[in-house]
Amino acid sequence: MTTAYSESSTQRIPGRAWIVRILGHSGRVASVTCSTAACRMPPRSEDLTALCTFAAAHAAAHAKAATVNPHAYCHCGSQRCGAHPGTKTSCAGEVVMILRHDPIVRRVWSLEEVCAMCAPLIPNATVLARAARPNCTAKPPTTPSGRVPAPARPSIAGGFSSAPAEGDPAPARRSSRAPQRPRRRRAGQGR
């Protein structure tokens, strides 16, 4: 899954979804998972409050990093509108990014690109962003070589980054250790 979209494409694409979930394990421990495989999650822990805080921040970071694609079709509609089964509607309107989180269950956060007709019908959903209206007259910026620059991949809070776009190279891993400075010798000290 990517967080940015290409302005040049006008072809409809599936609406994206990210799911952050807390899973319980034997021994009173739990873990956090994300539907984006590139995200690093904390280790299993008995501290459910800390894991819930991390999961909420992780979902918010995905929402902040994602740009709503105006050419996406409704993710809810692609799931046969299972998020609002009692209400019939036709998917239509602008694309919006919603956050679904049930305060009673408190273990799943879902970010989804859905249509403006489905968004108000989905229980426990909050609209976070709307797709920017496409500007058909504007040309995409180009570099001197004539190539369109790739969209920047914003980093996501928590020590992980968004998933690479298709065709992007894998990000290089950085060492968390500080560089070592050579020791200074005092005057009069020998080897």
Side-chain angles (χ1 to χ4, degrees):
M1 290 184 196
T2 60
T3 57
Y5 66 91
S6 172
E7 287 280 347
S8 61
S9 175
T10 57
Q11 182 180 5
R12 303 284 287 186
I13 62 168
R16 298 168 297 167
W18 297 266
I19 300 172
V20 179
R21 183 173 286 151
I22 296 179
L23 301 174
H25 303 284
S26 62
R28 295 184 144 191
V29 296
S31 63
V32 179
T33 64
C34 180
S35 59
T36 303
C39 295
R40 289 180 289 181
M41 298 289 116
R44 290 182 179 187
S45 173
E46 291 181 358
D47 189 355
L48 190 58
T49 303
L51 291 177
C52 284
T53 302
F54 177 86
H58 184 81
H62 270 297
K64 185 178 178 183
T67 303
V68 183
N69 185 346
H71 304 296
Y73 57 82
C74 182
H75 181 265
C76 180
S78 69
Q79 304 297 314
R80 296 192 174 125
C81 294
H84 54 89
T87 310
K88 298 284 184 186
T89 187
S90 295
C91 292
E94 68 181 334
V95 181
V96 297
M97 177 76 67
I98 62 164
L99 171 65
R100 287 192 315 167
H101 178 67
D102 188 343
I104 296 170
V105 177
R106 298 178 9 160
R107 291 189 174 202
V108 178
W109 292 259
S110 299
L111 283 158
E112 302 170 17
E113 288 178 323
V114 299
C115 71
M117 294 298 287
C118 287
L121 302 175
I122 299 173
N124 303 309
T126 304
V127 175
L128 301 177
R130 298 184 180 278
R133 300 215 183 256
N135 186 354
C136 297
T137 60
K139 292 182 180 179
T142 58
T143 58
S145 65
R147 294 179 40 186
V148 176
R153 279 195 1 216
S155 62
I156 297 175
F160 47 92
S161 63
S162 61
E166 294 174 16
D168 281 356
R173 295 187 66 98
R174 292 185 294 178
S175 172
S176 59
R177 294 179 59 185
Q180 298 291 323
R181 291 186 185 181
R183 293 185 187 196
R184 299 177 100 186
R185 294 184 195 208
R186 292 185 183 171
Q189 270 189 326
R191 288 192 181 233

